[in-house]
Amino acid sequence: QTVVTQEPSFSVSPGGTVTLTCGLSSGSVSTTYYPSWYQQTPGQAPRTLIYSTSTRSSGVPDRFSGSILGNKAALTITGAQADDESDYYCVLYMGSGIVVFGGGTKLTVL
Amino acid sequence: QVQLVESGGGLVKPGGSLRLSCAASGFTFSDYYMSWIRQAPGKGLEWVSYISSSGSTIYYADSVKGRFTISRDNAKNSLYLQMNSLRAEDTALYYCARVSYTSSWYFFDYWGQGTLVTVSS
């Protein structure tokens, strides 16, 4: 059973920088997993932020960036704003149409 | 613009059945793979099922395999999820999502607003 790991929670000060990570219970995340990231605020559907590791979806501000850091995928928010306070989910593609969601990270901006 | 509108959710008893629908518009539905994704109350997102553009290839999460059936009608621009033998743990908001898939990426580029399924006696 593949488990995708994310920090349960994180906090950042307004204007600060935060990096959320996405790992595998066994093994390393690489670009071949096509990591993607989604933002979800309470009561709303998820919004696509990043796909294919580091490509920003249309309309996503450039303060959001994606990368591979060590053996994990990473989402970095530079210059965090109050409305970045959300849940963030990563998704890894396992092949054959199967994906696994991470458990999500609740980001607090304070 | 792309729109995905789910319907069919509701309250059902354990062991019961429900059929969800997702009406798609604003794009050529038959060109895209589609998925169902769910979110239990207060919990994270969970991938449920995937169907190829023609409907010939289908995959399910282990948690629903043998109980749920995904299908599509490209003539009606609609995606479906037939859910049988429902359990309390199937209680969730069910989203349909469009899949963007190439040799370089695989991700969900559009999501509906979801339809709530509650399984309770």
Side-chain angles (χ1 to χ4, degrees), chain A residues 34 38 40 45 48 52 93 96, chain B residues 39 59 95 101 103-104 108 112:
Chain A
Y34 302 154
Y38 305 84
Q40 188 182 36
T48 308
S52 191
Y93 178 61
S96 300
Chain B
Q39 186 170 35
Y59 295 104
Y95 294 102
Y101 180 30
S103 59
S104 300
F108 306 110

Side-chain angles (χ1 to χ4, degrees), chain B:
Chain B
Q1 72 280 23
V2 173
Q3 280 199 312
L4 299 170
V5 179
E6 302 92 338
S7 61
L11 175 63
V12 61
K13 289 182 169 51
S17 298
L18 214 51
R19 188 194 195 208
L20 306 184
S21 299
C22 172
S25 60
F27 65 102
T28 304
F29 181 70
S30 58
D31 284 348
Y32 286 86
Y33 301 169
M34 299 292 295
S35 267
W36 287 99
I37 294 154
R38 69 183 180 183
Q39 186 170 35
K43 302 295 185 184
L45 298 164
E46 179 190 16
W47 172 78
V48 173
S49 185
Y50 148 101
I51 187 167
S52 63
S53 52
S54 67
S56 61
T57 303
I58 286 171
Y59 295 104
Y60 299 99
D62 288 343
S63 57
V64 307
K65 203 173 294 183
R67 301 187 299 122
F68 289 13
T69 302
I70 191 172
S71 62
R72 63 191 296 160
D73 186 335
N74 287 342
K76 294 183 177 179
N77 293 335
S78 292
L79 175 72
Y80 306 102
L81 186 69
Q82 177 68 43
M83 304 186 296
N84 299 331
S85 304
L86 282 162
R87 306 166 179 166
E89 55 265 34
D90 296 318
T91 294
L93 187 62
Y94 284 74
Y95 294 102
C96 77
R98 193 178 83 168
V99 176
S100 180
Y101 180 30
T102 71
S103 59
S104 300
W105 63 72
Y106 185 106
F107 70 104
F108 306 110
D109 60 354
Y110 287 93
W111 300 66
Q113 288 301 309
T115 187
L116 182 62
V117 173
T118 303
V119 184
S120 174
S121 54

Side-chain angles (χ1 to χ4, degrees), chain A residues 35-74:
Chain A
S36 54
W37 292 89
Y38 305 84
Q39 177 192 48
Q40 188 182 36
T41 53
Q44 298 295 315
R47 168 197 181 197
T48 308
L49 293 177
I50 300 285
Y51 64 94
S52 191
T53 305
S54 59
T55 304
R56 273 187 298 277
S57 190
S58 177
V60 173
D62 60 8
R63 66 177 185 275
F64 292 92
S65 61
S67 62
I68 297 291
L69 285 181
N71 62 350
K72 296 183 179 182

Side-chain angles (χ1 to χ4, degrees), chain A:
Chain A
Q1 181 80 358
T2 301
V3 176
V4 175
T5 61
Q6 295 185 248
E7 299 88 359
S9 62
F10 230 118
S11 64
V12 62
S13 300
T17 296
V18 63
T19 297
L20 312 181
T21 67
C22 174
L24 279 169
S25 52
S26 60
S28 299
V29 176
S30 66
T31 57
T32 59
Y33 285 95
Y34 302 154
S36 54
W37 292 89
Y38 305 84
Q39 177 192 48
Q40 188 182 36
T41 53
Q44 298 295 315
R47 168 197 181 197
T48 308
L49 293 177
I50 300 285
Y51 64 94
S52 191
T53 305
S54 59
T55 304
R56 273 187 298 277
S57 190
S58 177
V60 173
D62 60 8
R63 66 177 185 275
F64 292 92
S65 61
S67 62
I68 297 291
L69 285 181
N71 62 350
K72 296 183 179 182
L75 173 70
T76 299
I77 307 172
T78 304
Q81 299 181 1
D83 60 4
D84 295 335
E85 187 162 292
S86 302
D87 295 326
Y88 292 85
Y89 294 91
C90 73
V91 172
L92 299 181
Y93 178 61
M94 298 297 165
S96 300
I98 297 169
V99 300
V100 180
F101 281 83
T105 297
K106 184 176 184 63
L107 180 67
T108 301
V109 180
L110 52 72

